[in-house]
Amino acid sequence: MEKAKVSAPGKIILSGEHSVVYGQPAIVTALDKRLFVEIKEGRGKTEIITDEDPNLAYYALLKTEEFLKEKLPVLRIKIQSEIPVNRGLGSSAALAVTMVTALLNYLKKELDKNLINQIAFEIEKKQHGKPSGCDNSIATFGGTIEFRRGKIKSLKIKPNFGFVLIDSGRAVESTGEMVALVRRKFNYLKTKKVIKKIGKATVQLIKELKKDDFNKLKLKTLIAENEKLLEELGVIGKKAQKIIREIEDISGTAKICGAGGIKSGSGIILGFHQNQEKLKSLLRKRNIAFFKAKIHQKGVRVEKD
Ligand code: MEV
């Protein structure tokens, strides 16, 4: 029986979330947590098996049909994911990219990554309103990219600079709601200034990360500055701010790495300390979940089995 199995990675933004929506650069890297889609022939009507809300996956079917200008056959689609949802890790982009690629693969069409990225961006618009397109781009192309106004530059950076990913809790707001919240404030001069400053910090971080022997202290300063500016934008809730202040109190630094959230959790926080054990021991003491992750991972790919 015909079958297609495809996976795509989640992501973290090292710098530039929100400001990237307004044309500033962002540094985005692919994580070692992936979402898998398996497609087989279906019976009766198309069925989507998933633990999460299937709406976006159904929308991905419609959008792909629209782009291909042909009706899809009846399918049985199974979605499995290692990427936690509503935590700023790009789970919806990974779903969009994986769905499109799996459909093209099942239909034996060419896997043109530019086309996949373009269709996935249309699907992302349903989920996020006016997204920048950085999430679908990293899920498609992988690695670490500098993303600005739809342009993607691959960044050769050290695979890991020793950080942990900390769970500040699921955001109750969607990325679209958080983007809309910033957009409502965008006409204020103060907001425009903050967005420009985030852009400046991102440019500096790109320069730093490109160096063979990057300065960890500089990295720490830039992450801290990015976080401060995101707090000024008003996208980080009290719970996450409390965790971040505690990390700063032990001379570490931390920032959110997606859209954030204010009513409850703000998603995953990137935590950095020159003595990582110190950071881990604080998190254990406070009972805050964290995990180590690999970055710079492969983009969408067809799986053997
Ligand atoms: C994406 O993960 C985070 C935002 O920058 C929105 C976007 O780029 O579309 C907040």
Side-chain angles (χ1 to χ4, degrees):
M1 192 169 53
E2 290 298 330
K3 183 171 123 176
K5 189 170 179 186
V6 166
S7 77
K11 68 92 193 30
I12 52 171
I13 297 182
L14 297 177
S15 188
E17 47 277 86
H18 287 289
S19 55
V20 67
V21 175
Y22 304 93
Q24 299 293 337
I27 313 168
V28 196
T29 187
L31 279 187
D32 58 347
K33 290 200 178 293
R34 304 184 75 86
L35 181 141
F36 298 82
V37 168
E38 188 186 86
I39 299 186
K40 289 182 184 165
E41 187 187 342
R43 273 201 209 141
K45 71 178 189 43
T46 291
E47 184 190 6
I48 297 180
I49 303 139
T50 171
D51 290 338
E52 297 293 335
D53 184 345
N55 274 337
L56 193 65
Y58 279 111
Y59 187 69
L61 293 179
L62 283 179
K63 273 283 151 195
T64 310
E65 245 179 8
E66 212 177 286
F67 266 84
L68 295 179
K69 296 190 179 65
E70 68 178 69
K71 194 140 182 51
L72 294 172
V74 173
L75 301 167
R76 186 171 198 276
I77 301 170
K78 210 161 128 193
I79 303 167
Q80 275 174 312
S81 184
E82 302 164 352
I83 312 167
V85 299
N86 285 99
R87 281 181 166 79
L89 296 184
S91 62
S92 67
L95 174 65
V97 168
T98 316
M99 281 291 292
V100 175
T101 312
L103 288 166
L104 293 178
N105 192 232
Y106 183 81
L107 299 170
K108 300 201 175 352
K109 307 243 183 231
E110 187 197 345
L111 300 183
D112 172 350
K113 285 201 172 178
N114 289 316
L115 176 71
I116 292 167
N117 197 31
Q118 190 191 345
I119 308 175
F121 185 41
E122 291 306 313
I123 300 165
E124 275 280 274
K125 283 183 191 163
K126 160 137 175 106
Q127 189 75 350
H128 299 324
K130 289 198 169 105
S132 64
C134 73
D135 287 11
N136 47 280
S137 299
I138 195 69
T140 306
F141 296 102
T144 300
I145 59 168
E146 174 187 342
F147 182 93
R148 185 173 197 167
R149 294 186 200 279
K151 294 232 161 31
I152 302 153
K153 271 195 224 160
S154 174
L155 277 179
K156 296 278 166 279
I157 66 162
K158 292 253 177 235
N160 208 341
F161 49 84
F163 58 80
V164 290
L165 295 181
I166 303 158
D167 192 4
S168 81
R170 188 175 173 144
V172 292
E173 303 91 342
S174 67
T175 295
E177 282 165 344
M178 293 308 293
V179 170
L181 183 133
V182 176
R183 192 168 292 282
R184 281 198 292 278
K185 299 179 184 172
F186 188 65
N187 282 331
Y188 296 110
L189 198 61
K190 183 178 169 256
T191 310
K192 282 199 173 120
K193 278 190 180 154
V194 171
I195 290 201
K196 270 202 173 148
K197 281 187 191 166
I198 300 179
K200 255 185 155 170
T202 306
V203 170
Q204 275 180 280
L205 189 57
I206 292 170
K207 270 197 198 143
E208 208 48 54
L209 290 173
K210 276 182 179 166
K211 291 181 187 163
D212 275 344
D213 186 20
F214 62 75
N215 183 335
K216 288 200 169 177
L217 208 65
K218 187 82 197 273
L219 183 87
K220 207 175 122 181
T221 315
L222 290 169
I223 291 177
E225 190 181 329
N226 195 172
E227 169 59 27
K228 198 184 102 235
L229 292 165
L230 286 164
E231 284 179 26
E232 279 183 43
L233 265 192
V235 294
I236 304 172
K238 286 204 172 68
K239 198 172 157 197
Q241 286 190 36
K242 187 168 178 278
I243 300 172
I244 294 168
R245 291 298 91 78
E246 285 197 52
I247 294 171
E248 288 167 350
D249 284 347
I250 58 155
S251 304
T253 187
K255 70 173 272 291
I256 58 156
C257 35
I262 46 176
K263 290 183 192 145
S264 174
S266 308
I268 294 295
I269 302 171
L270 182 151
F272 178 73
H273 198 294
Q274 275 164 300
N275 176 354
Q276 211 183 80
E277 272 318 306
K278 228 173 159 179
L279 174 58
K280 286 188 191 166
S281 127
L282 168 81
L283 296 169
R284 280 190 207 104
K285 226 173 14 200
R286 293 278 181 276
N287 236 335
I288 300 166
F290 66 92
F291 58 94
K292 278 189 86 168
K294 287 194 189 130
I295 56 171
H296 210 66
Q297 300 295 299
K298 286 257 178 320
V300 68
R301 68 175 178 223
V302 174
E303 298 287 338
K304 291 268 175 304
D305 178 34

